[in-house]
Structures are given as C-alpha cells and as structure tokens.
Amino acid sequence: MNIEQIYEVFRRHGVVTTDSRRTPRGSMFFALKGETFDGNQYAEKALESGCSVAVVDDARVAKDDRYILVGNVLETLQQLAHYHREQMPDKMILQITGTNGKTTTKELVAAVLQTIAPVQWTQGNLNNHIGVPLTLLTLQDDGGFGIIETGANHPGEIAFLARIVDPDMGLITNVGRAHLEGFGSFEGVKRTKGELYDYIRRENRIGIFLNASDENLVEMAADMPAVRYGLTGAPGAEVWGEVVECNPFVKFRYRQEHIGWQVVQTHLIGAYNIHNLMTAVAVGVQFGVPFSLINQALADYQPTNNRSEFRDTGRNRLVIDAYNANPTSMAAALDNFRRIQAERKMMILGDMRELGADSAKEHQHVVDIARESGAEVWLVGDNFAHTQTDFRLFADVEAVKEELKQHPLQGLTILIKGSNGTKLFQLPELL
C-alpha cells in the first residue's frame, strides 16, 4: 500500500496505538521497534485485544488482510502523520520548541486559544520522533488550532520534526545550556533550536512569535516576520509585561500601547514563568482573544506533572520542579526560590543529565549558587558527589527516601529540582 491508501484505512478507523496493552476497539496498531522490543511480535495480540488493523514490517507476522505490510513502520507512521496534517490547510498549526518552558508554554497557549476555538495540543511530553506523529494524528479538521511541542537532544532533530509538522507559525521559548552532550556546545543548541526558524524562512510560512527580551532569539530571528512581545522595555514589542509579585505564586501585569494594564494572579511558581505567560498573552492577542478571556484562562491554569507546582502537604510547603533540570533552568529555580519568603528553607537538588564535558563545571556552579542562599541543601546523584561541597550528599533518590522515613521533615519550605532521571518526583509523598 502507498501512503494515500494507508490514509484511507486511517480515516475509517481514526485512532492509532503503538502499545499492545492499550488497544481501543477498531484502532490501528503500529508495530514500532525499540532497543529491547519488536512491536511485530505483539501485532497478533493487539488484534485480539481490539485493534482492527496492524501495520507491520515483518512479513512473517502478516498472516491475513488485517495486517498492512510496510518497509518501515516508524517511517510510515511519520509519513501518515504528515499526510494527515496536509489535509487540513485551514487549521492553524503552531510548532513550539526551546530549552526550557516548552510544555508550560504549550499548556498556557492552549488554555488561552481554546476560549475561542477548538484546540488540539501535545499531551504530556510526546514531543519526539514518535510522539509528534501521534499528536498530529489526533488533529481534527475543525478549523481551529494545533499546538505541537517538539524537543531535541541532537542536531537536525528540530528540522526533521518541522518537516513532519509543517507549521504555519513557529515559537522558540528560549535557548539554554541543556543536552550539551548531544549538541556539543551552546552554539550547537542555538543552531538546532534555530532549525525551526530556518524552516519557517525556507517554506515562507506566516512567521514566528518572538520574545524580544531574549537577545539570543532576536539575533537568531534575523528580520523574520514576527509578533514581538516581552518584558517592559523590550524593543519593538507589541505587548509587554512584568512581574508584580511572586510569593509564592506569580502575579503579573501586561499591556499594549494606548491600553491600560491587565493584572493576572496565577497559580504558577517562579518569576521565570513571566516569559511563558507573556507568550500566551501574545498568541492570544494575535488571534483576537479578548483580554478578559486571556486573563481568566491564565488565572485558572493549574500546573501539574511536577512543573512549577506548589503543594502544601500540611507538614511542609513544596516547590516542585522535578520534571527536568539543566544549568539554565536550575539557576532560574534557585533565583526564584531565593525570592520566596519563608522562615525555614531547604533545597533538594538532583543531578543534571546529558551535559557532557561541561558537567563537572556546571554542577559546581550550582553548588556555589546554592551556598549563597543560606538554605539547607541536600544534593542527589553521582555528578553532585564529585563537587566541592559541605552539603549533604545522597547517592540516589532511594537514599533520600530512607533518610526521610527515618527523620521526617516538618515546617520547611522546600525546593525539589532535578532531572527526571533522578526521580525526585517520588519525594513529595514523604514530605
């Protein structure tokens, strides 16, 4: 079958799955391969469990007409997703990437836009070469918006995903020092994230949303058609804003020229979220969302998934930012925590992953910043174990959990920050 024929099958079924344990009745199963598994081996089970069609690339398992045999299942999934996107020219597609804030920005933008139109957006963190196609295949031809988050840890990945997504507009939240092991350097990060701008330029798409307060992004945009926004004083900004208060939740205000300030109290922790909030404001303004609806959407948004989340357990007040960590986001989190007023403060910091040759220097820098805070600090992981510090060191999250069981903490305001792989997200239940 060619991709047009496979698309006709998809149109009849409408739902795809890559997990033989989750098989909605009548869905299409795509037998993906990984380092430790071969989806072809689970195709029969998927059909028995509810799927109507299985897309496979091993001829030995294609027993009857319920199987579609292709050369490569992953490539077919990606081609199908792109083809599906191309059938919806009236749907506005916004592709988001960046070092930090991608997911929060995506959620805020979706919250604002769905006040005026249907919106489909990336769920969770499905932002890679598999998650992006799966998200695109959920898009509906309803004339609304599609918001596609795309991540990368090596050069060329954003360019590859942009070709699948074919966005109408692009948005880079920021560029920071993350995944240096894959990118090689900060300049490598900029080049890779900038592949989204390159695609918008090359394909002559509508343009970008540009944070004019970010000098790196302004330089990378190089005279592209852009909706500019930023902090008060950002050059050329069409809408600008600033933090009013952050203790612990962000209250901010924003305005346009000749229009008075709009003030919004959010449920977000972290002054750094002003950039994510202003992005959502700028997108809303561009697409005609009234200020009242923008304000309500941002005020109502509740962060989840251990991102900029505040939780009062009755024993302690927790600032949970344990989904990811890199030098840029770690520094921002520590700076914000310093601003929070509390009698007794503590930080539990986990390793930052994928920093390559810069790892030792960057972890030591975090230790030095933390030392100036005056807070009690626990460090978790092998990278922090090699720093020069007097802070308490723990090999892993299990060691921390054991300490908390033996000596429970109470009456503290605690920042929990680390890469997802350190599993610090397991700690709140013990705090």
Side-chain angles (χ1 to χ4, degrees):
M1 284 189 175
N2 59 34
I3 201 66
E4 290 84 359
Q5 292 170 318
I6 296 175
Y7 186 67
E8 288 305 312
V9 176
F10 166 72
R11 285 175 60 87
R12 291 197 298 271
H13 297 279
V15 177
V16 303
T17 180
T18 61
D19 189 340
S20 62
R21 298 165 297 183
R22 297 179 178 86
T23 53
R25 186 151 300 279
S27 58
M28 296 178 69
F29 174 70
F30 280 75
L32 298 179
K33 296 176 181 176
E35 293 182 3
T36 59
F37 67 91
D38 182 352
N40 290 283
Q41 298 175 4
Y42 301 96
E44 184 174 2
K45 176 185 175 183
L47 292 170
E48 292 174 350
S49 300
C51 294
S52 295
V53 178
V55 181
V56 299
D57 50 21
D58 185 343
R60 294 172 296 181
V61 305
K63 301 177 181 179
D64 53 48
D65 59 6
R66 296 177 301 167
Y67 296 84
I68 297 176
L69 182 63
V70 299
N72 184 292
V73 171
L74 176 57
E75 291 178 3
T76 299
L77 178 68
Q78 294 165 342
Q79 292 166 8
L80 180 67
H82 175 73
Y83 190 85
H84 178 56
R85 183 269 180 271
E86 295 302 293
Q87 308 314 302
M88 294 175 286
D90 295 331
K91 194 172 190 71
M92 175 63 64
I93 305 296
L94 172 63
Q95 181 176 340
I96 297 177
T97 191
T99 301
N100 300 307
K102 294 186 295 296
T103 299
T104 299
T105 296
K106 170 202 66 183
E107 299 285 341
L108 292 171
V109 168
V112 168
L113 290 179
Q114 66 181 344
T115 63
I116 62 166
V119 184
Q120 292 92 47
W121 66 95
T122 302
Q123 297 301 299
N125 199 39
L126 294 175
N127 63 11
N128 65 4
H129 61 295
I130 297 173
V132 167
L134 291 174
T135 299
L136 288 171
L137 289 169
T138 67
L139 297 183
Q140 300 173 25
D141 191 7
D142 51 20
F145 297 91
I147 307 171
I148 313 299
E149 177 185 338
T150 52
N153 56 22
H154 61 265
E157 195 165 6
I158 295 300
F160 175 77
L161 294 174
R163 289 193 294 271
I164 297 175
V165 174
D166 187 22
D168 296 296
M169 298 191 74
L171 193 164
I172 302 177
T173 58
N174 51 54
V175 287
R177 299 180 64 78
H179 300 298
L180 298 180
E181 193 170 37
F183 294 128
S185 66
F186 177 59
E187 288 302 316
V189 175
K190 290 173 63 175
R191 284 193 297 272
T192 300
K193 302 301 182 183
E195 290 167 2
L196 177 54
Y197 287 173
D198 295 340
Y199 184 88
I200 297 292
R201 287 191 189 94
R202 185 173 62 251
E203 300 300 321
N204 197 29
R205 309 305 284 172
I206 294 173
I208 62 172
F209 289 93
L210 177 63
N211 184 349
S213 298
D214 189 313
E215 294 180 357
N216 286 310
L217 296 182
V218 170
E219 175 189 353
M220 291 161 60
D223 300 323
M224 293 183 69
V227 176
R228 288 174 172 255
Y229 62 94
L231 303 183
T232 299
E238 299 173 34
V239 58
W240 58 91
E242 57 194 37
V243 173
V244 174
E245 186 178 85
C246 191
N247 191 37
F249 299 113
V250 176
K251 177 190 285 188
F252 80 108
R253 64 179 188 171
Y254 69 90
R255 65 172 298 181
Q256 287 181 291
E257 191 172 4
H258 307 307
I259 299 177
W261 289 103
Q262 302 290 314
V263 181
V264 184
Q265 175 67 66
T266 77
H267 291 92
L268 286 167
I269 294 286
Y272 48 83
N273 275 302
I274 183 62
H275 299 289
N276 304 329
L277 290 161
M278 285 307 303
T279 301
V281 168
V283 174
V285 168
Q286 174 66 16
F287 290 114
V289 183
F291 288 152
S292 60
L293 295 182
I294 293 174
N295 298 349
Q296 194 63 53
L298 298 181
D300 289 345
Y301 174 75
Q302 295 276 357
T304 56
N305 299 323
N306 302 303
R307 291 180 171 93
S308 300
E309 182 180 350
F310 177 80
R311 193 181 305 176
D312 190 332
T313 67
R315 301 181 303 276
N316 300 287
R317 301 164 77 230
L318 309 181
V319 178
I320 308 168
D321 196 4
Y323 187 83
N324 206 351
N326 56 60
T328 304
S329 67
M330 187 71 84
L334 267 60
D335 178 67
N336 179 74
F337 193 61
R338 176 181 58 82
R339 300 166 185 258
I340 295 176
Q341 297 176 11
E343 290 185 10
R344 299 175 60 210
K345 296 168 75 171
M346 178 180 182
M347 296 187 285
I348 303 177
L349 308 179
D351 276 354
M352 301 176 290
R353 303 291 176 84
E354 299 182 47
L355 295 181
D358 289 335
S359 182
K361 178 183 69 176
E362 296 293 356
H363 280 86
Q364 185 63 54
H365 183 57
V366 169
V367 169
D368 295 340
I369 296 175
R371 187 179 294 117
E372 297 173 0
S373 70
E376 182 179 357
V377 180
W378 290 2
L379 302 174
V380 185
D382 184 64
N383 290 312
F384 275 126
H386 290 85
T387 60
Q388 296 180 10
T389 181
D390 295 326
F391 295 143
R392 290 196 64 178
L393 295 165
F394 295 84
D396 52 33
V397 72
E398 294 301 322
V400 179
K401 289 162 69 174
E402 187 60 32
E403 173 66 18
L404 292 175
K405 291 174 184 176
Q406 297 294 324
H407 303 96
L409 299 176
Q410 190 166 351
L412 292 163
T413 298
I414 305 172
L415 170 65
I416 304 172
K417 176 72 175 174
S419 286
N420 196 44
T422 63
K423 301 183 179 180
L424 298 191
F425 55 79
Q426 296 179 3
L427 297 180
E429 65 184 32
L430 297 173
L431 292 167

